[in-house]
Amino acid sequence: MNSYKAQTLKHFMGISLMTAAIMAATPALASYPEGYYDSLNGKCGVELMHAVRAVAKDHKVISYGNDTWEAFRSTDIININGTDYWWDMYSDEKVKVGSSKPDNKIMNIEHSVAQSWWKGSSDSPRKNDIVHLNPSNSNANNRKSNYPLGEIDDVTWENGVTFVGHPKSGQGGGNNYVYEPCDEYKGDFARAFMYMFTIYSDLNWNSACDWMFDTSKPLMFKDWARNLLLKWHAADQVSDKELKRNDGIYKEQHNRNPFIDLPALADHIWGSKANEPFKVDDNYVPDPNPNPNPTDPTTINKYLWLSENDSDMGEWEVDDRTLPSAGKFVWQWKEYQGLHYLNASAHINGTPYEALSYIWSPIVSMKDVSSAKLTFDHAAKFQTNCKELCKLVVMNHDVNANAPEYIKEYSINTWQSPGKWTFTTSEEFDLSEYTGHNISVGFKYESTPTGADTWEIRNVRLDLVRDQSGVNSLPQEFDDSDLVEVWGNNILAPEGARIFDLNGREVNGENLTPGLYIVTKQSFQKAIKVLVK
């Protein structure tokens, strides 16, 4: 996946546009002390890498935990309309800064270079180094696991800022999964990785997790990882946010990330200038497009949900309308002979029951989409009435006069022959009509007392072709979606918000029946799903 910018840059750029001088068009000069990097002059390649390590390796070790959060007050706070929030590069969830650290169930201290990548849990300088530590949404932290960085061929989980999925060919270092940050932070993470594998190149690393590095190489990185980091370093150049963070690191930890202060270092160590002496006072900005060949102005986002290889169904949400009278659920995530699938049934102990239940994918932005194609694999051995009742459904979260209908059903014409459990691929569904909107795709299971067939689904694929149009239409009004709350059976929402049930009927938010509701407002980056229990 070449870029997620059309989908994801809006999340934080929308905030940045509202915040005075958060992201300057041309970054300010780095404020490192005079003479700090003089020892780097005239060196290149491995010699330069060792010189960089000598400059930055000795620093104050900050105790991990409460002291880390105190240090984050100097490095990772964003002020929006007079309120301080933790600057989370893993999600767009806004958590207010309080007098104490946030609840661990909401935010964690995340290592961009995972702790499992090195040997020795007591390796405190590396574990505690705030250059590669960041406040992180706990769910995103869990989802990215200890995966390497990489570009994704198909997405298995995403929150609009962090993406997890299977890597593009030639990437991942043999691991089945990688995590890819949104374009706004690709350079930030690349420079953090360059720092960590330079400053700690002389320490032990765990060969069981050597997807990006090779300790037999004096420059540490495997070829694919080196090329990826140089690409991201050049494409996402140092921002004012990074420079200010680097100053905060110097204040708290008494060292700096040299690859932020001197972006040219990377090329003189790993890149095209690895044989040319580096000069501190001749520090150029890397070319963001070193390839002279014209590039395709589009990008393809490939989503893969409910994969047969997934251990759970991820962020999909069940919306039960009518449960079978003899059962407590319709949808299950099941496994057979090592392969997984979504199972829906209201046939219990030999008896069919009436049921109606939906299941919905995470919200997907269709901004700048020119083409949207969806397919899935499914099976149904007994086909009493499922071909007539069970549907593909799409929920449009943008409710206005010009939007396609709120929930649209699509009949499924491609089924396998009845009498056996054989997965077959559905026909291709064109969802291009939803371009410009935020949608969820899903499935509707319906049954009757005379027919309650079991339906199995897996490998849901959504391919989006986007025009990389930049940030011309980014929202500039403050996103106040974090004010949406549930109190008992009431939904509290900011002024101007509208609340809808899943039939598309607008409700006033009071004394609601249990179920899933959608809260939308023009200022929201995306519609909000709310569950009233």
Side-chain angles (χ1 to χ4, degrees):
M1 191 173 301
N2 294 329
S3 169
Y4 291 112
K5 180 169 285 187
Q7 177 183 4
T8 63
L9 187 58
K10 69 189 183 75
H11 285 275
F12 273 100
M13 284 299 293
I15 294 174
S16 299
L17 289 170
M18 300 179 294
T19 308
I22 290 295
M23 303 289 282
T26 301
L29 294 175
S31 55
Y32 55 84
E34 183 177 357
Y36 189 76
Y37 292 116
D38 284 356
S39 61
L40 308 184
N41 278 314
K43 297 179 175 65
C44 60
V46 175
E47 184 183 15
L48 180 58
M49 182 180 184
H50 292 169
V52 171
R53 186 175 70 204
V55 168
K57 184 173 183 178
D58 293 331
H59 59 80
K60 175 184 175 182
V61 177
I62 298 170
S63 296
Y64 187 82
N66 290 336
D67 288 351
T68 309
W69 283 106
E70 287 304 309
F72 283 164
R73 295 178 185 274
S74 298
T75 59
D76 293 277
I77 287 180
I78 181 172
N79 186 279
I80 304 173
N81 293 348
T83 300
D84 286 339
Y85 298 88
W86 296 111
W87 196 315
D88 182 358
M89 297 200 299
Y90 293 92
S91 83
D92 63 358
E93 299 295 330
K94 296 184 291 296
V95 178
K96 293 180 181 179
V97 176
S99 58
S100 59
K101 66 180 182 180
D103 187 331
N104 190 56
K105 295 179 181 178
I106 298 173
M107 295 202 85
N108 302 150
I109 301 170
E110 172 57 352
H111 296 76
S112 59
V113 178
Q115 293 186 70
S116 61
W117 287 20
W118 62 76
K119 294 181 178 179
S121 59
S122 61
D123 182 7
S124 61
R126 191 162 32 178
K127 174 185 176 181
N128 298 11
D129 195 325
I130 60 174
V131 170
H132 83 129
L133 301 182
N134 303 97
S136 169
N137 171 269
S138 57
N139 188 36
N141 178 14
N142 178 64
R143 289 288 181 171
K144 70 172 276 294
S145 186
N146 69 338
Y147 302 148
L149 292 170
E151 293 175 325
I152 293 176
D153 190 44
D154 51 63
V155 180
T156 58
W157 179 87
E158 55 96 354
N159 63 4
V161 179
T162 297
F163 297 79
V164 174
H166 305 299
K168 293 174 65 172
S169 177
Q171 295 192 21
N175 198 43
N176 290 329
Y177 292 92
V178 296
Y179 80 93
E180 181 172 354
C182 66
D183 287 357
E184 188 180 357
Y185 297 132
K186 281 186 166 72
D188 302 53
F189 285 109
R191 288 178 278 274
F193 271 61
M194 291 173 180
Y195 168 94
M196 291 297 292
F197 282 93
T198 296
I199 304 309
Y200 302 107
S201 60
D202 59 337
L203 300 183
N204 290 328
W205 293 83
N206 185 1
S207 60
C209 301
D210 62 354
W211 304 303
M212 295 187 71
F213 62 87
D214 182 349
T215 54
S216 69
K217 294 178 177 289
L219 295 178
M220 290 297 287
F221 291 119
K222 291 184 176 180
D223 291 346
W224 78 267
R226 176 200 62 209
N227 294 338
L228 177 75
L229 297 178
L230 287 172
K231 175 183 176 180
W232 287 2
H233 172 60
D236 175 29
Q237 297 175 11
V238 175
S239 66
D240 195 48
K241 180 242 189 220
E242 278 185 277
L243 292 172
K244 292 177 180 177
R245 187 174 199 275
N246 216 16
D247 289 341
I249 290 168
Y250 187 62
K251 172 187 172 184
E252 299 290 342
Q253 192 167 273
H254 306 164
N255 76 335
R256 308 178 66 84
N257 183 346
F259 299 100
I260 292 174
D261 290 336
L262 306 173
L265 280 173
D267 273 349
H268 283 271
I269 296 175
W270 297 285
S272 60
K273 297 181 179 291
N275 295 315
E276 298 180 22
F278 175 76
K279 295 181 181 179
V280 173
D281 58 357
D282 188 27
N283 192 41
Y284 65 97
V285 176
D287 183 357
N289 185 23
N291 184 354
N293 298 320
T295 58
D296 188 344
T298 64
T299 183
I300 297 177
N301 292 169
K302 295 197 292 183
Y303 293 80
L304 175 60
W305 293 302
L306 308 178
S307 167
E308 61 190 36
N309 298 314
D310 291 343
S311 60
D312 58 47
M313 64 184 185
E315 299 296 300
W316 283 59
E317 296 183 353
V318 173
D319 172 29
D320 292 320
R321 303 298 184 86
T322 304
L323 285 172
S325 58
K328 297 182 179 180
F329 56 83
V330 167
W331 299 97
Q332 299 181 77
W333 186 248
K334 302 184 74 173
E335 179 266 337
Y336 179 71
Q337 294 185 344
L339 299 179
H340 298 81
Y341 57 93
L342 189 64
N343 177 285
S345 181
H347 196 274
I348 303 171
N349 296 327
T351 303
Y353 291 89
E354 179 182 3
L356 175 61
S357 182
Y358 296 83
I359 190 166
W360 298 102
S361 78
I363 295 175
V364 175
S365 168
M366 300 282 281
K367 184 182 186 309
D368 300 320
V369 166
S370 58
S371 173
K373 307 293 185 183
L374 183 138
T375 62
F376 56 91
D377 298 341
H378 68 136
K381 180 177 180 180
F382 308 103
Q383 298 178 11
T384 306
N385 56 10
C386 62
K387 294 174 67 174
E388 293 74 34
L389 298 179
C390 297
K391 311 283 186 180
L392 171 74
V393 287
V394 176
M395 181 193 303
N396 180 15
H397 295 281
D398 300 325
V399 183
N400 59 62
N402 299 318
E405 59 187 285
Y406 187 58
I407 294 181
K408 184 172 181 178
E409 297 184 355
Y410 294 82
S411 295
I412 303 164
N413 299 317
T414 305
W415 296 75
Q416 87 281 8
S417 299
K420 54 185 177 180
W421 292 111
T422 303
F423 278 91
T424 189
T425 301
S426 71
E427 67 267 35
E428 187 175 75
F429 294 89
D430 185 353
L431 305 183
S432 302
E433 66 177 300
Y434 295 98
T435 188
H437 297 280
N438 296 299
I439 67 168
S440 292
V441 300
F443 298 96
K444 172 189 174 183
Y445 177 85
E446 188 172 6
S447 62
T448 70
T450 59
D453 304 323
T454 298
W455 190 25
E456 298 178 348
I457 302 165
R458 68 187 184 195
N459 299 333
V460 181
R461 294 171 290 271
L462 175 63
D463 292 350
L464 305 181
V465 177
R466 299 182 189 274
D467 176 14
Q468 296 183 33
S469 58
V471 296
N472 293 333
S473 60
L474 295 178
Q476 299 191 33
E477 186 179 352
F478 175 55
D479 181 357
D480 50 357
S481 59
D482 60 337
L483 299 179
V484 176
E485 297 182 16
V486 176
W487 287 78
N489 61 344
N490 301 311
I491 297 176
L492 304 182
E495 184 177 359
R498 304 174 68 190
I499 305 171
F500 296 84
D501 64 19
L502 291 187
N503 291 317
R505 298 173 299 206
E506 187 165 6
V507 298
N508 64 11
E510 298 179 359
N511 299 317
L512 299 171
T513 57
L516 198 62
Y517 293 84
I518 304 299
V519 185
T520 183
K521 185 182 176 185
Q522 186 175 2
S523 62
F524 290 1
Q525 300 283 355
K526 58 186 179 182
I528 305 299
K529 291 182 183 177
V530 177
L531 179 63
V532 175
K533 298 181 180 180

